[in-house]
Amino acid sequence: LESVWKRAMADPEIEAKVIPIPYFDKNSDGSFGEMHYEGTLFPDYVPVLHYDDYNFEKNHPDEIYIHNPYDDMNIVTSVHPFFYSKNIKQFTDKLIYIPYFVLEEIDLSNKKAVENKAHFAQVPAVIHADEVIVQSENMRQFYIECIVQLTGENTRKVFEKKIKGTGSPKIEKLQSMTIDDISIPEEWNKYIYKEDGSRKKIVLYNNSISALLRESEQILAKMDKVFDEFSKYRDSVTLLWRPHPLIKATINSMRPQLQDAYNALIMKFKNGDIGIYDDSADVDRAIIVADAYYGDGSSLVTLCKSVKMPIMVQKTSV
């Protein structure tokens, strides 16, 4: 939501607050596990307000922007129930939902493709928000069709009014960034530069949750093979491995039998000095540093395409 916040901060008539909210891992039985709060991970230039220090009922802000749409529907994680869209909407005049993800543009005439992606649109925040902002007009039409399938044809005019296809802040931010806008960790430099000081090619390697759930053992075997192959060329090419941030939580909740094998892959990558292991919150940095993308199909592919990065989607088979 950074570009939205920057526009708000530039307007002297707006008092903008950034309030990171807590979220929980979910256990396999659906109960809440470990709580996470990421307010300390924001850039220094962002004034963060702790959620306990803001009285939503008393202040009743004109607008609240959210990017997590699931309320209690996600089986891997959950934001704190106070911040479910169905609850938080009572404390504002206008609840605005902007997805945290971007999607590959969908051919609306392809019914199978629409059906396979419908779950991205059929979420509580789309129903409860007063306004929904998605990445394009085509995606707006996709959202309208999917949510009307869920709520009935008589709701079409409501969603045609509330859903807008004016663009994604994630793409806006990336397209405005250069290498000078990121801070590269010192420990990355030995992987980025050759001994003569010239720069290696950097390949961003990403693993998605959907691929892991669909073909669990095959995906882990594929990852192992990828590590072996890239290690052969480490003098000229660096693999920047960025698994989906929720893969560990997903394995814990839905594929606990894979925990040991996945942790062994992490140790192999780190101990083998194969490349850069990036489990940070900053996906933009990885995209700006990288020269090409390789890995599963995911929203990261769409972001990489937005900055004209070469893309190769991996086959699941080894």
PDB file of all heavy atoms in Angstrom, residues 169-195:
ATOM      1  N   PRO A 169      -1.020  -0.874  -6.399  1.00  0.00           N
ATOM      2  CA  PRO A 169       0.093  -0.146  -5.786  1.00  0.00           C
ATOM      3  C   PRO A 169       1.407  -0.917  -5.838  1.00  0.00           C
ATOM      4  O   PRO A 169       2.484  -0.321  -5.884  1.00  0.00           O
ATOM      5  CB  PRO A 169      -0.362   0.060  -4.342  1.00  0.00           C
ATOM      6  CG  PRO A 169      -1.835  -0.083  -4.379  1.00  0.00           C
ATOM      7  CD  PRO A 169      -2.133  -1.062  -5.467  1.00  0.00           C
ATOM      8  N   LYS A 170       1.330  -2.246  -5.829  1.00  0.00           N
ATOM      9  CA  LYS A 170       2.558  -3.050  -5.884  1.00  0.00           C
ATOM     10  C   LYS A 170       3.291  -2.811  -7.197  1.00  0.00           C
ATOM     11  O   LYS A 170       4.517  -2.658  -7.232  1.00  0.00           O
ATOM     12  CB  LYS A 170       2.217  -4.547  -5.741  1.00  0.00           C
ATOM     13  CG  LYS A 170       1.649  -4.929  -4.400  1.00  0.00           C
ATOM     14  CD  LYS A 170       1.453  -6.420  -4.275  1.00  0.00           C
ATOM     15  CE  LYS A 170       2.782  -7.108  -4.070  1.00  0.00           C
ATOM     16  NZ  LYS A 170       2.650  -8.431  -3.422  1.00  0.00           N
ATOM     17  N   ILE A 171       2.536  -2.798  -8.282  1.00  0.00           N
ATOM     18  CA  ILE A 171       3.143  -2.563  -9.591  1.00  0.00           C
ATOM     19  C   ILE A 171       3.615  -1.119  -9.711  1.00  0.00           C
ATOM     20  O   ILE A 171       4.702  -0.848 -10.237  1.00  0.00           O
ATOM     21  CB  ILE A 171       2.147  -2.927 -10.707  1.00  0.00           C
ATOM     22  CG1 ILE A 171       1.919  -4.449 -10.713  1.00  0.00           C
ATOM     23  CG2 ILE A 171       2.637  -2.459 -12.065  1.00  0.00           C
ATOM     24  CD1 ILE A 171       0.879  -4.925 -11.707  1.00  0.00           C
ATOM     25  N   GLU A 172       2.819  -0.192  -9.211  1.00  0.00           N
ATOM     26  CA  GLU A 172       3.210   1.223  -9.239  1.00  0.00           C
ATOM     27  C   GLU A 172       4.552   1.434  -8.556  1.00  0.00           C
ATOM     28  O   GLU A 172       5.439   2.130  -9.072  1.00  0.00           O
ATOM     29  CB  GLU A 172       2.147   2.080  -8.535  1.00  0.00           C
ATOM     30  CG  GLU A 172       0.863   2.262  -9.306  1.00  0.00           C
ATOM     31  CD  GLU A 172      -0.146   3.077  -8.512  1.00  0.00           C
ATOM     32  OE1 GLU A 172       0.171   3.469  -7.354  1.00  0.00           O
ATOM     33  OE2 GLU A 172      -1.238   3.330  -9.027  1.00  0.00           O
ATOM     34  N   LYS A 173       4.705   0.824  -7.393  1.00  0.00           N
ATOM     35  CA  LYS A 173       5.944   1.006  -6.639  1.00  0.00           C
ATOM     36  C   LYS A 173       7.133   0.418  -7.383  1.00  0.00           C
ATOM     37  O   LYS A 173       8.182   1.061  -7.535  1.00  0.00           O
ATOM     38  CB  LYS A 173       5.829   0.369  -5.256  1.00  0.00           C
ATOM     39  CG  LYS A 173       7.103   0.563  -4.417  1.00  0.00           C
ATOM     40  CD  LYS A 173       7.037  -0.156  -3.092  1.00  0.00           C
ATOM     41  CE  LYS A 173       8.349   0.051  -2.325  1.00  0.00           C
ATOM     42  NZ  LYS A 173       8.393  -0.718  -1.070  1.00  0.00           N
ATOM     43  N   LEU A 174       6.992  -0.808  -7.854  1.00  0.00           N
ATOM     44  CA  LEU A 174       8.098  -1.474  -8.553  1.00  0.00           C
ATOM     45  C   LEU A 174       8.553  -0.685  -9.770  1.00  0.00           C
ATOM     46  O   LEU A 174       9.749  -0.540 -10.025  1.00  0.00           O
ATOM     47  CB  LEU A 174       7.676  -2.879  -8.984  1.00  0.00           C
ATOM     48  CG  LEU A 174       8.004  -4.027  -8.046  1.00  0.00           C
ATOM     49  CD1 LEU A 174       7.467  -5.325  -8.615  1.00  0.00           C
ATOM     50  CD2 LEU A 174       9.511  -4.138  -7.813  1.00  0.00           C
ATOM     51  N   GLN A 175       7.607  -0.201 -10.542  1.00  0.00           N
ATOM     52  CA  GLN A 175       7.950   0.505 -11.770  1.00  0.00           C
ATOM     53  C   GLN A 175       8.622   1.848 -11.517  1.00  0.00           C
ATOM     54  O   GLN A 175       9.259   2.404 -12.412  1.00  0.00           O
ATOM     55  CB  GLN A 175       6.691   0.691 -12.631  1.00  0.00           C
ATOM     56  CG  GLN A 175       6.165  -0.620 -13.202  1.00  0.00           C
ATOM     57  CD  GLN A 175       4.915  -0.453 -14.037  1.00  0.00           C
ATOM     58  OE1 GLN A 175       4.156   0.503 -13.857  1.00  0.00           O
ATOM     59  NE2 GLN A 175       4.675  -1.376 -14.942  1.00  0.00           N
ATOM     60  N   SER A 176       8.513   2.339 -10.294  1.00  0.00           N
ATOM     61  CA  SER A 176       9.156   3.611  -9.950  1.00  0.00           C
ATOM     62  C   SER A 176      10.538   3.424  -9.328  1.00  0.00           C
ATOM     63  O   SER A 176      11.262   4.386  -9.093  1.00  0.00           O
ATOM     64  CB  SER A 176       8.266   4.394  -8.975  1.00  0.00           C
ATOM     65  OG  SER A 176       8.251   3.774  -7.692  1.00  0.00           O
ATOM     66  N   MET A 177      10.927   2.158  -9.049  1.00  0.00           N
ATOM     67  CA  MET A 177      12.156   1.897  -8.306  1.00  0.00           C
ATOM     68  C   MET A 177      13.358   1.662  -9.221  1.00  0.00           C
ATOM     69  O   MET A 177      13.214   1.201 -10.357  1.00  0.00           O
ATOM     70  CB  MET A 177      11.981   0.672  -7.402  1.00  0.00           C
ATOM     71  CG  MET A 177      11.002   0.862  -6.264  1.00  0.00           C
ATOM     72  SD  MET A 177      10.778  -0.650  -5.280  1.00  0.00           S
ATOM     73  CE  MET A 177      12.391  -0.772  -4.494  1.00  0.00           C
ATOM     74  N   THR A 178      14.535   1.971  -8.683  1.00  0.00           N
ATOM     75  CA  THR A 178      15.805   1.635  -9.328  1.00  0.00           C
ATOM     76  C   THR A 178      16.693   0.950  -8.287  1.00  0.00           C
ATOM     77  O   THR A 178      16.339   0.874  -7.104  1.00  0.00           O
ATOM     78  CB  THR A 178      16.525   2.880  -9.869  1.00  0.00           C
ATOM     79  OG1 THR A 178      16.985   3.675  -8.753  1.00  0.00           O
ATOM     80  CG2 THR A 178      15.603   3.725 -10.746  1.00  0.00           C
ATOM     81  N   ILE A 179      17.860   0.490  -8.715  1.00  0.00           N
ATOM     82  CA  ILE A 179      18.802  -0.171  -7.808  1.00  0.00           C
ATOM     83  C   ILE A 179      19.241   0.762  -6.678  1.00  0.00           C
ATOM     84  O   ILE A 179      19.604   0.319  -5.582  1.00  0.00           O
ATOM     85  CB  ILE A 179      20.036  -0.688  -8.587  1.00  0.00           C
ATOM     86  CG1 ILE A 179      20.824  -1.694  -7.756  1.00  0.00           C
ATOM     87  CG2 ILE A 179      20.909   0.465  -9.056  1.00  0.00           C
ATOM     88  CD1 ILE A 179      20.165  -3.025  -7.593  1.00  0.00           C
ATOM     89  N   ASP A 180      19.163   2.076  -6.912  1.00  0.00           N
ATOM     90  CA  ASP A 180      19.561   3.051  -5.893  1.00  0.00           C
ATOM     91  C   ASP A 180      18.540   3.170  -4.763  1.00  0.00           C
ATOM     92  O   ASP A 180      18.831   3.762  -3.723  1.00  0.00           O
ATOM     93  CB  ASP A 180      19.770   4.430  -6.529  1.00  0.00           C
ATOM     94  CG  ASP A 180      20.930   4.445  -7.518  1.00  0.00           C
ATOM     95  OD1 ASP A 180      21.907   3.712  -7.288  1.00  0.00           O
ATOM     96  OD2 ASP A 180      20.847   5.179  -8.519  1.00  0.00           O
ATOM     97  N   ASP A 181      17.349   2.612  -4.976  1.00  0.00           N
ATOM     98  CA  ASP A 181      16.290   2.716  -3.978  1.00  0.00           C
ATOM     99  C   ASP A 181      16.289   1.560  -2.987  1.00  0.00           C
ATOM    100  O   ASP A 181      15.442   1.519  -2.093  1.00  0.00           O
ATOM    101  CB  ASP A 181      14.918   2.766  -4.669  1.00  0.00           C
ATOM    102  CG  ASP A 181      14.754   4.009  -5.527  1.00  0.00           C
ATOM    103  OD1 ASP A 181      15.149   5.093  -5.059  1.00  0.00           O
ATOM    104  OD2 ASP A 181      14.259   3.883  -6.669  1.00  0.00           O
ATOM    105  N   ILE A 182      17.212   0.619  -3.139  1.00  0.00           N
ATOM    106  CA  ILE A 182      17.218  -0.538  -2.247  1.00  0.00           C
ATOM    107  C   ILE A 182      18.529  -0.603  -1.471  1.00  0.00           C
ATOM    108  O   ILE A 182      19.549  -0.074  -1.900  1.00  0.00           O
ATOM    109  CB  ILE A 182      16.997  -1.858  -3.013  1.00  0.00           C
ATOM    110  CG1 ILE A 182      18.139  -2.103  -4.014  1.00  0.00           C
ATOM    111  CG2 ILE A 182      15.656  -1.852  -3.728  1.00  0.00           C
ATOM    112  CD1 ILE A 182      18.070  -3.451  -4.687  1.00  0.00           C
ATOM    113  N   SER A 183      18.460  -1.256  -0.341  1.00  0.00           N
ATOM    114  CA  SER A 183      19.643  -1.484   0.487  1.00  0.00           C
ATOM    115  C   SER A 183      19.995  -2.964   0.412  1.00  0.00           C
ATOM    116  O   SER A 183      19.213  -3.818   0.823  1.00  0.00           O
ATOM    117  CB  SER A 183      19.365  -1.079   1.931  1.00  0.00           C
ATOM    118  OG  SER A 183      20.465  -1.367   2.762  1.00  0.00           O
ATOM    119  N   ILE A 184      21.169  -3.261  -0.145  1.00  0.00           N
ATOM    120  CA  ILE A 184      21.594  -4.643  -0.334  1.00  0.00           C
ATOM    121  C   ILE A 184      22.403  -5.097   0.887  1.00  0.00           C
ATOM    122  O   ILE A 184      23.397  -4.461   1.243  1.00  0.00           O
ATOM    123  CB  ILE A 184      22.426  -4.798  -1.611  1.00  0.00           C
ATOM    124  CG1 ILE A 184      21.581  -4.410  -2.831  1.00  0.00           C
ATOM    125  CG2 ILE A 184      22.950  -6.221  -1.762  1.00  0.00           C
ATOM    126  CD1 ILE A 184      22.348  -4.425  -4.136  1.00  0.00           C
ATOM    127  N   PRO A 185      22.003  -6.180   1.535  1.00  0.00           N
ATOM    128  CA  PRO A 185      22.759  -6.669   2.697  1.00  0.00           C
ATOM    129  C   PRO A 185      24.211  -6.968   2.335  1.00  0.00           C
ATOM    130  O   PRO A 185      24.494  -7.483   1.248  1.00  0.00           O
ATOM    131  CB  PRO A 185      22.016  -7.955   3.078  1.00  0.00           C
ATOM    132  CG  PRO A 185      20.639  -7.777   2.532  1.00  0.00           C
ATOM    133  CD  PRO A 185      20.809  -7.002   1.266  1.00  0.00           C
ATOM    134  N   GLU A 186      25.120  -6.658   3.236  1.00  0.00           N
ATOM    135  CA  GLU A 186      26.544  -6.863   3.008  1.00  0.00           C
ATOM    136  C   GLU A 186      26.851  -8.314   2.659  1.00  0.00           C
ATOM    137  O   GLU A 186      27.685  -8.601   1.790  1.00  0.00           O
ATOM    138  CB  GLU A 186      27.325  -6.448   4.260  1.00  0.00           C
ATOM    139  CG  GLU A 186      28.833  -6.610   4.154  1.00  0.00           C
ATOM    140  CD  GLU A 186      29.460  -5.662   3.139  1.00  0.00           C
ATOM    141  OE1 GLU A 186      28.914  -4.554   2.950  1.00  0.00           O
ATOM    142  OE2 GLU A 186      30.483  -6.035   2.543  1.00  0.00           O
ATOM    143  N   GLU A 187      26.157  -9.245   3.290  1.00  0.00           N
ATOM    144  CA  GLU A 187      26.448 -10.667   3.076  1.00  0.00           C
ATOM    145  C   GLU A 187      26.028 -11.157   1.686  1.00  0.00           C
ATOM    146  O   GLU A 187      26.417 -12.238   1.260  1.00  0.00           O
ATOM    147  CB  GLU A 187      25.775 -11.520   4.156  1.00  0.00           C
ATOM    148  CG  GLU A 187      24.273 -11.422   4.217  1.00  0.00           C
ATOM    149  CD  GLU A 187      23.785 -10.351   5.191  1.00  0.00           C
ATOM    150  OE1 GLU A 187      24.560  -9.420   5.483  1.00  0.00           O
ATOM    151  OE2 GLU A 187      22.637 -10.463   5.648  1.00  0.00           O
ATOM    152  N   TRP A 188      25.243 -10.344   0.972  1.00  0.00           N
ATOM    153  CA  TRP A 188      24.850 -10.721  -0.390  1.00  0.00           C
ATOM    154  C   TRP A 188      25.963 -10.464  -1.400  1.00  0.00           C
ATOM    155  O   TRP A 188      25.969 -11.055  -2.482  1.00  0.00           O
ATOM    156  CB  TRP A 188      23.607  -9.958  -0.822  1.00  0.00           C
ATOM    157  CG  TRP A 188      22.334 -10.418  -0.194  1.00  0.00           C
ATOM    158  CD1 TRP A 188      22.173 -11.163   0.942  1.00  0.00           C
ATOM    159  CD2 TRP A 188      21.000 -10.152  -0.680  1.00  0.00           C
ATOM    160  NE1 TRP A 188      20.844 -11.367   1.209  1.00  0.00           N
ATOM    161  CE2 TRP A 188      20.102 -10.763   0.241  1.00  0.00           C
ATOM    162  CE3 TRP A 188      20.501  -9.458  -1.765  1.00  0.00           C
ATOM    163  CZ2 TRP A 188      18.719 -10.693   0.067  1.00  0.00           C
ATOM    164  CZ3 TRP A 188      19.118  -9.380  -1.936  1.00  0.00           C
ATOM    165  CH2 TRP A 188      18.248  -9.995  -1.027  1.00  0.00           C
ATOM    166  N   ASN A 189      26.865  -9.560  -1.075  1.00  0.00           N
ATOM    167  CA  ASN A 189      27.834  -9.100  -2.074  1.00  0.00           C
ATOM    168  C   ASN A 189      28.721 -10.222  -2.621  1.00  0.00           C
ATOM    169  O   ASN A 189      29.087 -10.223  -3.800  1.00  0.00           O
ATOM    170  CB  ASN A 189      28.700  -7.981  -1.495  1.00  0.00           C
ATOM    171  CG  ASN A 189      27.941  -6.670  -1.374  1.00  0.00           C
ATOM    172  OD1 ASN A 189      27.026  -6.405  -2.159  1.00  0.00           O
ATOM    173  ND2 ASN A 189      28.295  -5.850  -0.407  1.00  0.00           N
ATOM    174  N   LYS A 190      29.068 -11.191  -1.782  1.00  0.00           N
ATOM    175  CA  LYS A 190      29.946 -12.266  -2.262  1.00  0.00           C
ATOM    176  C   LYS A 190      29.243 -13.136  -3.298  1.00  0.00           C
ATOM    177  O   LYS A 190      29.911 -13.844  -4.072  1.00  0.00           O
ATOM    178  CB  LYS A 190      30.447 -13.115  -1.100  1.00  0.00           C
ATOM    179  CG  LYS A 190      29.394 -13.972  -0.429  1.00  0.00           C
ATOM    180  CD  LYS A 190      30.046 -14.881   0.614  1.00  0.00           C
ATOM    181  CE  LYS A 190      29.035 -15.832   1.261  1.00  0.00           C
ATOM    182  NZ  LYS A 190      29.678 -16.771   2.209  1.00  0.00           N
ATOM    183  N   TYR A 191      27.917 -13.096  -3.310  1.00  0.00           N
ATOM    184  CA  TYR A 191      27.156 -13.845  -4.307  1.00  0.00           C
ATOM    185  C   TYR A 191      26.855 -13.006  -5.546  1.00  0.00           C
ATOM    186  O   TYR A 191      26.650 -13.539  -6.634  1.00  0.00           O
ATOM    187  CB  TYR A 191      25.830 -14.325  -3.711  1.00  0.00           C
ATOM    188  CG  TYR A 191      25.974 -15.202  -2.497  1.00  0.00           C
ATOM    189  CD1 TYR A 191      25.705 -14.710  -1.223  1.00  0.00           C
ATOM    190  CD2 TYR A 191      26.384 -16.532  -2.610  1.00  0.00           C
ATOM    191  CE1 TYR A 191      25.829 -15.516  -0.102  1.00  0.00           C
ATOM    192  CE2 TYR A 191      26.508 -17.341  -1.494  1.00  0.00           C
ATOM    193  CZ  TYR A 191      26.230 -16.829  -0.246  1.00  0.00           C
ATOM    194  OH  TYR A 191      26.366 -17.621   0.876  1.00  0.00           O
ATOM    195  N   ILE A 192      26.832 -11.696  -5.366  1.00  0.00           N
ATOM    196  CA  ILE A 192      26.485 -10.798  -6.472  1.00  0.00           C
ATOM    197  C   ILE A 192      27.681 -10.509  -7.370  1.00  0.00           C
ATOM    198  O   ILE A 192      27.546 -10.398  -8.593  1.00  0.00           O
ATOM    199  CB  ILE A 192      25.895  -9.482  -5.914  1.00  0.00           C
ATOM    200  CG1 ILE A 192      24.553  -9.761  -5.218  1.00  0.00           C
ATOM    201  CG2 ILE A 192      25.722  -8.441  -7.014  1.00  0.00           C
ATOM    202  CD1 ILE A 192      23.955  -8.553  -4.531  1.00  0.00           C
ATOM    203  N   TYR A 193      28.884 -10.439  -6.755  1.00  0.00           N
ATOM    204  CA  TYR A 193      30.067 -10.038  -7.520  1.00  0.00           C
ATOM    205  C   TYR A 193      31.085 -11.165  -7.656  1.00  0.00           C
ATOM    206  O   TYR A 193      31.285 -11.962  -6.744  1.00  0.00           O
ATOM    207  CB  TYR A 193      30.731  -8.832  -6.852  1.00  0.00           C
ATOM    208  CG  TYR A 193      29.837  -7.613  -6.805  1.00  0.00           C
ATOM    209  CD1 TYR A 193      29.169  -7.259  -5.630  1.00  0.00           C
ATOM    210  CD2 TYR A 193      29.642  -6.834  -7.943  1.00  0.00           C
ATOM    211  CE1 TYR A 193      28.329  -6.154  -5.589  1.00  0.00           C
ATOM    212  CE2 TYR A 193      28.814  -5.727  -7.914  1.00  0.00           C
ATOM    213  CZ  TYR A 193      28.162  -5.391  -6.734  1.00  0.00           C
ATOM    214  OH  TYR A 193      27.323  -4.309  -6.699  1.00  0.00           O
ATOM    215  N   LYS A 194      31.727 -11.211  -8.809  1.00  0.00           N
ATOM    216  CA  LYS A 194      32.819 -12.145  -9.053  1.00  0.00           C
ATOM    217  C   LYS A 194      34.087 -11.626  -8.380  1.00  0.00           C
ATOM    218  O   LYS A 194      34.129 -10.482  -7.902  1.00  0.00           O
ATOM    219  CB  LYS A 194      33.057 -12.298 -10.555  1.00  0.00           C
ATOM    220  CG  LYS A 194      31.855 -12.778 -11.339  1.00  0.00           C
ATOM    221  CD  LYS A 194      32.177 -12.835 -12.834  1.00  0.00           C
ATOM    222  CE  LYS A 194      30.953 -13.191 -13.663  1.00  0.00           C
ATOM    223  NZ  LYS A 194      31.237 -13.185 -15.117  1.00  0.00           N
ATOM    224  N   GLU A 195      35.117 -12.445  -8.370  1.00  0.00           N
ATOM    225  CA  GLU A 195      36.378 -12.036  -7.739  1.00  0.00           C
ATOM    226  C   GLU A 195      36.986 -10.812  -8.414  1.00  0.00           C
ATOM    227  O   GLU A 195      37.679 -10.026  -7.770  1.00  0.00           O
ATOM    228  CB  GLU A 195      37.372 -13.204  -7.767  1.00  0.00           C
ATOM    229  CG  GLU A 195      36.990 -14.344  -6.822  1.00  0.00           C
ATOM    230  CD  GLU A 195      38.059 -15.414  -6.762  1.00  0.00           C
ATOM    231  OE1 GLU A 195      39.107 -15.239  -7.430  1.00  0.00           O
ATOM    232  OE2 GLU A 195      37.861 -16.423  -6.053  1.00  0.00           O
TER     233      GLU A 195
END
